[in-house]
Amino acid sequence: MGVYYPRSSDPAGAGFSGPISTAGPSEFDVVKTRELEQFLADSGLYESKEEAIRREEVLGRLNEIIKIWVKDVCGAKGYSEQLVEGANAKIFTFGSYRLGVHDSGADIDTLCVGPRYVARKEDFFGKLYTMLAEMPEVQELHPVPDAHVPVMKFKLNCISIDLLYAKVDLWLIPEELDILQESILHNVDEQTVLSLNGCRVTDQILRLVPDIQNFRTTLRVIRYWAKKRGVYSNVIGFLGGINWALLVARICQLYPNALPSFLVSRFFKIFKQWRWPNPIMLCPIQGRPAWDDRKNSRYGQNVMPIITPAYPCLNSSYNVSTSTLRVMTEEFQRGHDICEAMEANEAIWMTLFEPFLFFEAYKNYLQIDIAAQNDDDLRKWKGWVESRLRLLTLNIERGTNGILQCHPHPDEFSDKSRPLCYCFYMGLRRNQGVNAQEVEQFDMTSTVEEFKRSVCAHDSWKPTMLIHLCHVRRRNIPHFVFPRGLRPTQPVKEVVGSQVVTNARKRKLDKVDEGFGSKKTLCLPSGNSNVSFTGQTH
């Protein structure tokens, strides 16, 4: 995270500047936007009225639970009857639900704002957790107190909830509390600032975009595209919902009178040529900076800074690595190519959303297997290991001096024949800018061992929580990772305009891998929980 300042004035490098064009839509834009909206509806991206009502009911029930909990905490700490009577906490929503772009079945990001005497560790992750665990309407309760932004995950009447907690410096929480006022940040800890930031940023985005409906439609498109192409995941080093929302909001500002079809096209055109690490900002930074990234780099590399518009202005994309930025830049280029093909009537909207064929794209993969003794332990173990995968990516980059690049898959996989196990995958390839003859061996022994030590150092780790890393060649990828468990018999083709390609990255990969000589090896440590591998990397 960090505070940033614009470094240039051109559209491909400026953090903040005025509109590029204020022109209205053409007839072509109107037609293409109508087609796009129909595609979104046909793809089931809008929830039904019945589901919308269920979500409102669940939020109402959560609000009731929170108010009972805070009164119980107040009474248990011996405060006066008057304070107990007025004890209150308030639920706010943020993320896709608050922005109005949530999919059917999506979770609801929520924030509980509580008074100064209600502690995060003792009361939120203690007493509230116990209350929720005893309720039959609550399922899959999973606290993550050590996350960068501590969160309680659960299902309430089958609706997924992510609940954050912010302890503010107030004895009484009014129902009309305005969390956009800067006074809410006085005398609070860093975790409260981060927890509040989601709501504050979401509300600021809605204030700063010129047309909320066009913004929402465009954001639905980009979110759907990012999920299909495998680049929607903040936790493993790509971008999450708020990051994509900030990028889309910036495009809406640059073209304030444009329709969604044009905004999607310009989204790819602008970001395929953006000169990172020049930051993306929706407004000039106001007031005193929270901190300067030149003096504080503990939050990450800041290779793709996307700055939040609410004070304190932070880099929301600190998880992005050199490898994951490379993947996203290639996807921006692909999106631009398809939009240009659509303008020439050589492609349709469906082409943009064709899934990325991850297990066809690389010749070498790193497989991370995890296992636990029961469902509850496995859920906790999976969440923790997944949150650490971005560090494995960074350490592989550093351990090989940037020669080896990683492409983490955003999802986990499970084999029905092996219960209580999950697998994660990373595609591996040599940096295209490195001469293959310069390196004789990729030795990841120390990197893998350090990763294992770091994940097993977690307070909740148990000896029955296992982790195993190994190298896998493309031809040996297990069948269960493929749809319906069926490995494709022939490479699947994508069509971009009149050109047929295997996929956005695979058209370059074989040439990249041809540079590896027969002596090039990948080495992983051997031992009780690892396998050793030494073999050709082409």
Side-chain angles (χ1 to χ4, degrees):
M1 289 186 176
V3 173
Y4 291 87
Y5 305 89
R7 301 180 187 178
S8 63
S9 59
D10 62 295
F16 179 78
S17 60
I20 294 175
S21 171
T22 58
S26 66
E27 183 177 346
F28 177 84
D29 297 332
V30 173
V31 172
K32 283 298 180 183
T33 295
R34 191 179 302 121
E35 292 176 359
L36 180 58
E37 290 172 341
Q38 186 60 52
F39 177 85
L40 295 177
D42 293 343
S43 299
L45 296 186
Y46 298 96
E47 69 177 355
S48 65
K49 290 183 179 180
E50 293 76 15
E51 186 175 0
I53 292 172
R54 283 183 56 223
R55 287 177 183 273
E56 291 177 2
E57 292 173 346
V58 163
L59 285 173
R61 175 57 179 148
L62 179 60
N63 190 54
E64 293 175 359
I65 294 170
I66 290 299
K67 293 184 184 308
I68 293 171
W69 162 68
V70 76
K71 287 182 181 295
D72 287 349
V73 170
C74 186
K77 293 190 175 184
Y79 290 109
S80 67
E81 291 184 7
Q82 183 179 4
L83 189 60
V84 173
E85 180 65 26
N88 189 34
K90 185 169 173 59
I91 291 292
F92 294 87
T93 61
F94 63 101
S96 64
Y97 184 82
R98 176 72 179 92
L99 290 172
V101 296
H102 57 287
D103 305 333
S104 176
D107 59 7
I108 306 177
D109 294 314
T110 58
L111 168 70
C112 172
V113 178
R116 60 184 301 174
Y117 55 82
V118 179
R120 178 179 293 102
K121 182 177 181 180
E122 175 188 352
D123 301 317
F124 183 75
F125 286 109
K127 188 173 182 60
L128 179 59
Y129 172 82
T130 302
M131 282 180 60
L132 293 173
E134 294 173 351
M135 294 180 176
E137 60 202 297
V138 174
Q139 307 91 30
E140 299 180 19
L141 180 59
H142 177 41
V144 193
D146 297 325
H148 184 64
V149 182
V151 60
M152 192 106 71
K153 296 173 175 285
F154 56 93
K155 286 186 177 180
L156 181 56
N157 289 329
C158 300
I159 298 292
S160 296
I161 301 286
D162 283 2
L163 180 62
L164 311 183
Y165 179 67
K167 183 183 76 169
V168 298
D169 192 24
L170 295 172
W171 284 99
L172 297 175
I173 304 297
E175 282 297 321
E176 64 277 8
L177 180 67
D178 179 8
I179 59 172
L180 276 180
Q181 58 184 356
E182 289 191 13
S183 61
I184 199 77
L185 301 175
H186 291 171
N187 298 322
V188 300
D189 60 21
E190 182 182 15
Q191 291 177 320
T192 289
V193 172
L194 294 174
S195 298
L196 285 166
N197 209 40
C199 289
R200 289 165 55 83
V201 168
T202 301
D203 286 355
Q204 275 288 72
I205 289 173
L206 293 175
R207 291 186 180 190
L208 291 170
V209 294
D211 187 301
I212 289 178
Q213 188 54 50
N214 286 341
F215 163 74
R216 284 174 170 164
T217 300
T218 306
L219 181 54
R220 281 189 185 275
V221 172
I222 297 304
R223 284 165 54 90
Y224 188 51
W225 161 83
K227 291 175 182 179
K228 286 290 187 179
R229 300 304 296 176
V231 291
Y232 189 102
S233 177
N234 177 276
V235 69
I236 67 166
F238 292 112
L239 301 182
I242 199 64
N243 312 122
W244 293 117
L246 289 166
L247 292 185
V248 169
R250 187 69 190 112
I251 298 301
C252 290
Q253 290 181 329
L254 295 175
Y255 302 93
N257 299 316
L259 291 180
S261 64
F262 185 89
L263 293 170
V264 169
S265 172
R266 289 304 179 267
F267 177 91
F268 293 118
K269 183 174 183 178
I270 293 291
F271 292 122
K272 81 177 181 67
Q273 59 184 328
W274 192 269
R275 290 199 291 273
W276 307 102
N278 286 300
I280 296 294
M281 296 187 294
L282 299 188
C283 58
I285 293 174
Q286 302 293 330
R288 182 178 61 84
W291 62 277
D292 190 329
D293 70 294
R294 292 166 294 187
K295 300 177 182 178
N296 188 334
S297 60
R298 75 184 182 92
Y299 287 104
Q301 295 183 336
N302 300 316
V303 299
M304 190 185 185
I306 302 171
I307 311 306
T308 57
Y311 180 86
C313 298
L314 306 172
N315 176 19
S316 65
S317 51
Y318 59 89
N319 278 353
V320 174
S321 69
T322 302
S323 289
T324 52
L325 176 59
R326 182 263 305 173
V327 173
M328 287 186 283
T329 301
E330 291 178 355
E331 287 299 331
F332 293 148
Q333 180 66 58
R334 174 187 177 272
H336 173 68
D337 293 345
I338 292 173
C339 287
E340 283 198 330
M342 281 195 285
E343 291 177 6
N345 292 317
E346 294 179 347
I348 58 177
W349 284 113
M350 186 180 297
T351 311
L352 183 65
F353 305 101
E354 290 177 351
F356 175 61
L357 306 175
F358 180 83
F359 293 106
E360 306 263 336
Y362 298 96
K363 293 188 175 182
N364 298 280
Y365 296 85
L366 183 63
Q367 178 175 313
I368 302 100
D369 295 309
I370 63 170
Q373 198 168 33
N374 55 61
D375 289 331
D376 187 54
D377 283 355
L378 181 61
R379 184 167 59 251
K380 294 176 181 177
W381 186 224
K382 180 178 79 71
W384 173 245
V385 172
E386 184 179 36
S387 72
R388 302 289 93 185
L389 289 179
R390 69 180 181 88
L391 300 180
L392 178 59
T393 299
L394 289 171
N395 289 337
I396 290 175
E397 290 175 358
R398 294 167 181 165
T400 61
N401 295 317
I403 296 172
L404 197 61
Q405 293 182 329
C406 302
H407 179 175
H409 195 291
D411 300 322
E412 72 279 354
F413 298 87
S414 60
D415 184 356
K416 292 181 180 179
S417 66
R418 298 170 58 208
L420 300 177
C421 296
Y422 282 111
C423 301
F424 298 97
Y425 288 90
M426 291 185 180
L428 302 174
R429 89 175 195 196
R430 177 177 53 82
N431 189 326
Q432 297 180 52
V434 176
N435 187 330
Q437 302 305 317
E438 294 178 0
V439 180
E440 291 298 321
Q441 189 178 70
F442 297 121
D443 188 351
M444 294 190 291
T445 301
S446 60
T447 300
V448 167
E449 289 296 334
E450 175 57 33
F451 176 71
K452 288 173 55 185
R453 281 194 296 270
S454 69
V455 296
C456 292
H458 189 259
D459 291 341
S460 300
W461 179 80
K462 301 176 182 178
T464 53
M465 294 176 174
L466 307 177
I467 185 166
H468 170 103
L469 291 88
C470 64
H471 169 270
V472 181
R473 301 295 288 270
R474 182 166 64 198
R475 62 177 177 267
N476 296 325
I477 290 291
H479 288 265
F480 64 80
V481 306
F482 297 101
R484 298 178 298 280
L486 300 175
R487 181 188 298 273
T489 55
Q490 294 181 347
V492 181
K493 305 293 183 180
E494 286 186 357
V495 178
V496 178
S498 58
Q499 182 184 17
V500 178
V501 295
T502 305
N503 58 47
R505 275 178 287 282
K506 195 173 187 305
R507 52 189 166 183
K508 296 181 179 179
L509 290 180
D510 289 342
K511 290 184 178 180
V512 172
D513 285 336
E514 282 173 4
F516 286 106
S518 60
K519 293 183 179 180
K520 304 300 177 287
T521 63
L522 287 171
C523 295
L524 295 181
S526 59
N528 294 334
S529 60
N530 283 302
V531 300
S532 61
F533 166 80
T534 303
Q536 296 179 357
T537 56
H538 65 283

